[in-house]
Amino acid sequence: MLAARTALVDRIVRERWANMPQGVALAAVGGYGRAELFPCSDIDLLILTPVSGSSSGKNDKTQLAIKEPLAILLRDLWDRGLRISQSVHTPQECNQIDNANAELAVSLIDRRFLAGDETLFRQIRDPRPELGKDIARLTKERHLEFQCTIYHLEPNVKDAPGGLRDMQVLRWLAKLGAGDEQHPPDTAVLFEIRCFLHYLAGRDDNRFTFDRQDEIAKLIGAHSAEDLMRRYYRAVRGIARLANRRLERFEAKGSSLFAQFRDKTSRLSNADFSIVRGEIFFKSTHAVETDPGIVLRLFEFIAMHGLALAGDTLDRLERTMGHFEEWAQTQSALLTPFRRALALPHAARALRVLHECGALEAAFPELRDMEALVIRDFYHRYTVDEHTLVAITAALNLRDMKGDPFAELAAETEDMDLLAIALLFHDVGKGTPDEGHVGVSVRIAEPALRRVGISERAWKIVEFLIAAHLELSAAMSGRDLSDPEVIRSVAAKVGTVERLRLLTLLTWADISAVNPTAMTPWRRQLLWKLYMLLNAELTRELTARVQAPQIEGNPEMRAFLAGLPPRYMRIHTAPEMLEHFRLNGEGKDRGVAASLVRTEVWMLNVVADDRPFLFASAAAAISSFGFNILKAEAFSNAAGKVIDTFAFADEHRTLDLNPDEVHQVVKTVIRAIRGEITMTQLLERRPKVKLDARVLAGASVSYNNEASPASTLLELTTQDRPGLLCDIASVISQSGGNIEVVLVDTEARKAIDVFYVTKGGAKLSESDAQELVEALTKVAVPA
């Protein structure tokens, strides 16, 4: 298909070129130059003009002569439905290589003459080897955009690591003298997938979304989308490995710093391994066959020194992995060297090498259930095995972070190796989709770890961490952390301070590995707050609040605080209470006052006379600016004053970059509460969100009258959209309910909101709760 489309475009372009003046040339570059035109790819054309003696370097007479015919040519090609990307250069410009035109120079590697003056085309010289540095730089920059991993759930088949662009990198480097054009097996699947992506979208769309995976799996006759994705990952893994190896080798050739490093690392050679050019080689040709335990010694060696495997070593490991697996299944003390390696400085890198060569799965065959496993939830970015490795890397790398509270916690924590082992198995149960994965993960991990010699003490720690790995996340997103009952309940499940430290670090790593932006400053703050509260509960070192003199000695302040529930005093600092008291005085005449304060997130304080839909109006005002509300609380005192606080995230840094907007936000909130602007007017400026049936299929609303001693918990999960919180708050207000606390969380397109609601100062009755659930279901699943 690619060749046929290329031939068709060649014919059309050459026919249209017939009307161009003499003395210029036309060449195909990029994918068109390679004769690999995908169905909707751009057609990259290079128009060559001769050099003149003028200072510009271009022949002005030729430029003028081709202007009109070239415009007609390009218009005709566009009219034929061809997406043209053209550039006009002289051969002299094409022969320059610098950062300003590196992409042009790279595209010229695949140049192909089409029409015109061929002698002009032949003035373009073959690329010089130094172009490889630009290729390496551009490739690294591109890989960083994808976190340098192939295991994305919805990958870009062209630009992601291991994709079609990396296949071209292999070709380019081969032409520059860095290896041959060797391609791993099964790469044809990438061409198939990209062709179908173009056909289905009708444009140059290279993102392999969940929907497209389902469609293309059927079109090419795959057993399932999961099977197709595993075939995809096998292909791109081979390409990525070869491309990275070629790039490293190319960079090493001209690097004096690398030469010094190579000379130093060669001294690390020992009886098992030789270090040549900074890479690890087996000294014995049949090392693994005669001594399978050398694989574990290799793991420790990499974990200690952080060196890379030579390509020959990696190939040999893969060929002989059966010998190691057979041996590993008989080793009752296998865990001892494994744990020893996990305590070394480059353990995370070594663990990834074990995974790449298959040794990790050979030692623990149970892990194969999650290899390249896709779990579709629109929140996780990576496959299950990649998520696991990213989580372990995040946890172990805490040892190198200075000044971070979680790093300090890791420094105080023993058994970090057991934390890594727990992370290794924490999601293995996801390979058994019909059961809850937590219990299955424990069930799979126990025989696997007992087989390799885990002690009873170590197993109890790992078992606890796997079984409880969602506890802190659930408390953060779905429970009021200022409720002592919540803290006591979670603390009872954790049991000890030592377990708490490990579980906190595991939760930090697990969330951090979901996607690059999952560990937001707000989640970080919540997790640390939860750790401190649980630590205080477990150590029983709770200290009483010391009130500021401005509060104790101020009768007006005491009158303002009268009637506020104990919870208000418990969760607010003295400066926060003084700010609320100040707003109370400021808003006496207008009935409302507000202020906005920058902390880890933005905090809006509102003090107002009680009125219908007060909370919903403030929520609508915040949402109208595009901010994401994270948490909200509402209190009222004996004088009928309502104190609402909203924590929200400003993801686009609008307020940081435009400080004057802070006043505008406060002004809008006050106008909304006073009824000077309606919720409908506020939210109509927000873009409409297209409802996604797949997300809405998992929508739910439920209530819980047991989780809190004073409030009914309403939990709502649905597709996130502008004004959702406002709609929910309006329904609750219409039912006569009072919102005490709101906890808001989002996972990709899904909103997970928890409301603590009372009516008449008490929990909702069963009938009231059921009626409210019915009303909120209409909000969660709109018609």
Side-chain angles (χ1 to χ4, degrees):
M1 194 289 302
L2 302 182
R5 182 167 188 248
T6 301
L8 173 63
V9 173
D10 281 354
R11 180 174 60 78
I12 295 171
V13 169
R14 284 174 175 142
E15 287 175 357
R16 297 299 185 274
W17 184 262
N19 297 322
M20 291 292 291
Q22 299 295 314
V24 291
L26 179 67
V29 293
Y32 183 30
R34 292 188 298 273
E36 290 181 351
L37 270 183
F38 284 85
C40 298
S41 291
D42 286 356
I43 291 134
D44 297 320
L45 296 176
L46 171 66
I47 295 93
L48 286 168
T49 63
V51 179
S52 75
S54 70
S55 58
S56 69
K58 293 183 183 292
N59 190 310
D60 295 335
K61 184 182 293 186
T62 304
Q63 296 287 324
L64 187 62
I66 69 170
K67 183 176 181 180
E68 184 63 25
L70 181 59
I72 295 171
L73 166 73
L74 296 175
R75 187 175 65 243
D76 286 350
L77 294 176
W78 275 96
D79 289 344
R80 289 293 300 265
L82 302 179
R83 289 175 53 87
I84 305 298
S85 176
Q86 80 282 354
S87 61
V88 181
H89 292 283
T90 66
Q92 183 183 42
E93 290 171 336
C94 294
N95 290 330
Q96 294 173 349
I97 298 176
D98 54 50
N99 288 338
N101 76 336
E103 293 189 14
L104 169 64
V106 172
S107 72
L108 290 173
I109 297 176
D110 298 312
R111 67 190 181 278
R112 181 168 59 88
F113 177 73
L114 286 176
D117 187 347
E118 191 168 359
T119 60
L120 195 63
F121 173 80
R122 295 192 182 283
Q123 292 177 27
I124 302 176
R125 295 193 297 267
D126 286 334
R128 298 190 296 274
E130 54 263 36
L131 181 59
K133 295 179 181 178
D134 290 304
I135 292 173
R137 174 180 57 82
L138 293 170
T139 302
K140 284 186 174 181
E141 290 173 358
R142 175 168 52 81
H143 285 183
L144 283 172
E145 294 177 13
F146 298 92
Q147 297 76 52
C148 297
T149 179
I150 67 172
Y151 293 103
H152 289 268
L153 296 182
E154 295 183 300
N156 184 308
V157 299
K158 177 184 176 184
D159 291 326
L164 290 165
R165 181 71 74 194
D166 277 1
M167 286 187 65
Q168 306 317 322
V169 168
L170 287 170
R171 291 178 179 176
W172 297 330
L173 293 179
K175 291 181 179 179
L176 296 174
D180 54 28
E181 291 193 26
Q182 174 189 359
H183 287 168
D186 204 26
T187 54
V189 70
L190 300 185
F191 289 87
E192 288 184 83
I193 290 170
R194 192 181 182 204
C195 281
F196 279 119
L197 286 174
H198 284 202
Y199 284 136
L200 292 168
R203 56 189 174 85
D204 187 6
D205 183 6
N206 302 301
R207 189 159 176 253
F208 202 13
T209 62
F210 293 143
D211 286 344
R212 294 293 188 235
Q213 290 167 26
D214 291 333
E215 292 175 283
I216 294 174
K218 293 176 182 176
L219 288 168
I220 68 175
H223 177 68
S224 65
E226 289 73 19
D227 286 346
L228 174 60
M229 290 309 296
R230 282 186 162 149
R231 186 180 167 198
Y232 165 84
Y233 292 125
R234 281 196 298 270
V236 296
R237 181 167 57 192
I239 296 169
R241 181 183 296 172
L242 269 179
N244 290 333
R245 195 184 300 170
R246 295 279 192 275
L247 286 167
E248 288 172 4
R249 194 168 296 172
F250 195 91
E251 288 181 303
K253 278 185 176 181
S255 171
S256 59
L257 184 63
F258 182 84
Q260 296 174 25
F261 173 73
R262 181 179 63 199
D263 293 341
K264 185 178 293 186
T265 57
S266 64
R267 304 169 194 167
L268 299 175
S269 299
N270 60 22
D272 290 325
F273 314 114
S274 295
I275 311 302
V276 182
R277 298 186 302 275
E279 295 181 326
I280 304 171
F281 290 82
F282 286 126
K283 279 197 169 179
S284 168
T285 307
H286 302 288
V288 179
E289 297 97 310
T290 57
D291 179 14
I294 198 173
V295 176
L296 291 181
R297 298 198 295 279
L298 177 63
F299 179 35
E300 288 192 67
F301 191 82
I302 299 172
M304 173 61 78
H305 302 296
L307 299 176
L309 291 184
D312 175 75
T313 308
L314 187 57
D315 293 341
R316 191 174 300 178
L317 277 169
E318 291 179 330
R319 289 196 305 270
T320 59
M321 197 47 60
H323 294 277
F324 173 70
E325 180 165 357
E326 184 178 348
W327 173 84
Q329 300 314 302
T330 66
Q331 301 302 304
S332 60
L334 187 74
L335 198 64
T336 301
F338 196 82
R339 289 185 64 181
R340 198 162 56 228
L342 287 172
L344 296 173
H346 303 286
R349 178 172 186 172
L351 200 63
R352 187 171 284 278
V353 170
L354 284 192
H355 175 59
E356 288 178 356
C357 71
L360 188 60
E361 290 72 19
F364 301 105
E366 297 83 357
L367 298 179
R368 289 192 174 115
D369 285 345
M370 64 179 188
E371 188 174 3
L373 179 62
V374 173
I375 301 295
R376 301 182 176 186
D377 63 2
F378 303 100
Y379 183 48
H380 284 74
R381 176 76 60 85
Y382 313 116
T383 57
V384 177
D385 54 341
E386 179 67 8
H387 164 78
T388 297
L389 290 174
V390 172
I392 294 172
T393 300
L396 295 181
N397 284 352
L398 278 170
R399 298 178 294 201
D400 302 324
M401 296 169 63
K402 306 299 181 186
D404 185 281
F406 291 99
E408 293 171 3
L409 192 62
E412 300 169 1
T413 303
E414 297 180 0
D415 300 317
M416 287 294 287
D417 57 328
L418 294 180
L419 171 61
I421 291 169
L423 281 168
L424 186 61
F425 283 91
H426 80 291
D427 276 349
V428 70
K430 287 185 175 179
T432 309
D434 296 332
E435 300 182 51
H437 83 276
V438 175
V440 177
S441 295
V442 173
R443 198 166 70 232
I444 292 173
E446 182 171 9
L449 292 173
R450 291 198 183 280
R451 183 182 66 245
V452 295
I454 195 168
S455 68
E456 192 60 31
R457 171 193 169 274
W459 166 246
K460 288 301 181 185
I461 293 172
V462 172
E463 178 187 33
F464 162 74
L465 290 174
I466 297 174
H469 80 265
L470 297 178
E471 288 290 342
L472 300 191
S473 293
M476 287 162 55
S477 62
R479 294 294 178 265
D480 178 10
L481 302 187
S482 60
D483 185 341
E485 287 300 321
V486 169
I487 300 304
R488 280 194 285 270
S489 174
V490 177
K493 295 175 182 177
V494 174
T496 68
V497 170
E498 292 73 22
R499 283 184 167 188
L500 173 62
R501 288 173 180 165
L502 285 167
L503 186 59
T504 301
L505 293 171
L506 183 145
T507 304
W508 182 89
D510 195 20
I511 295 174
S512 298
V514 167
N515 64 59
T517 61
M519 182 53 79
T520 61
W522 175 248
R523 284 197 179 98
R524 232 182 117 83
Q525 180 181 328
L526 279 181
L527 179 58
W528 188 252
K529 177 181 178 180
L530 179 57
Y531 165 74
M532 296 297 288
L533 289 169
L534 291 171
N535 185 66
E537 177 67 24
L538 290 168
T539 56
R540 299 291 182 182
E541 293 178 359
L542 298 172
T543 56
R545 177 187 299 278
V546 178
Q547 297 292 3
Q550 299 99 311
I551 295 176
E552 291 297 320
N554 188 332
E556 291 184 359
M557 178 69 177
R558 292 202 303 272
F560 170 72
L561 296 175
L564 286 166
R567 186 173 168 282
Y568 174 84
M569 305 291 290
R570 188 171 61 246
I571 68 171
H572 287 105
T573 64
E576 289 170 346
M577 288 187 278
L578 287 168
E579 173 63 8
H580 298 161
F581 177 62
R582 184 190 70 78
L583 291 174
N584 180 61
E586 183 181 302
K588 276 186 177 178
D589 294 336
R590 302 183 66 190
V592 59
S595 65
L596 197 52
V597 180
R598 184 72 159 99
T599 59
E600 285 280 341
V601 293
W602 287 91
M603 186 68 67
L604 175 73
N605 300 293
V606 176
V607 178
D609 296 333
D610 197 6
R611 66 190 73 196
F613 302 102
L614 189 157
F615 183 95
S617 299
I622 296 169
S623 296
S624 71
F625 286 90
F627 304 139
N628 293 325
I629 297 172
L630 303 169
K631 184 178 180 181
E633 296 180 284
F635 302 93
S636 60
N637 66 9
K641 288 287 186 179
V642 171
I643 304 164
D644 285 353
T645 58
F646 295 84
F648 64 84
D650 176 10
E651 295 179 355
H652 302 293
R653 301 186 64 234
T654 302
L655 299 178
D656 288 327
L657 299 174
N658 305 281
D660 292 343
E661 280 289 293
V662 170
H663 173 71
Q664 185 61 35
V665 173
V666 172
K667 180 180 176 182
T668 302
V669 169
I670 291 173
R671 290 186 64 211
I673 291 173
R674 287 172 56 85
E676 296 169 4
I677 182 171
T678 67
M679 289 184 279
T680 301
Q681 290 172 320
L682 286 165
L683 293 174
E684 66 186 6
R685 67 173 87 169
R686 294 298 309 277
K688 301 297 181 184
V689 172
K690 184 180 179 181
L691 297 180
D692 190 326
R694 295 169 300 172
V695 182
L696 291 175
S700 65
V701 182
S702 62
Y703 75 94
N704 186 333
N705 259 334
E706 305 300 325
S708 169
S711 303
T712 297
L713 263 70
L714 289 164
E715 300 189 47
L716 183 145
T717 301
T718 187
Q719 181 178 352
D720 195 19
R721 61 181 186 271
L724 175 63
L725 182 58
C726 172
D727 292 342
I728 298 169
S730 296
V731 171
I732 293 173
S733 295
Q734 287 168 356
S735 73
N738 294 313
I739 298 171
E740 307 292 340
V741 182
V742 181
L743 306 173
V744 179
D745 198 7
T746 56
E747 295 182 355
R749 287 170 274 177
K750 184 167 63 175
I752 306 167
D753 298 344
V754 177
F755 295 79
Y756 284 65
V757 179
T758 60
K759 189 173 184 178
K763 295 183 184 183
L764 303 184
S765 67
E766 294 295 319
S767 60
D768 284 345
Q770 289 172 3
E771 287 180 11
L772 190 50
V773 165
E774 290 177 9
L776 288 173
T777 300
K778 297 176 182 177
V779 175
V781 189

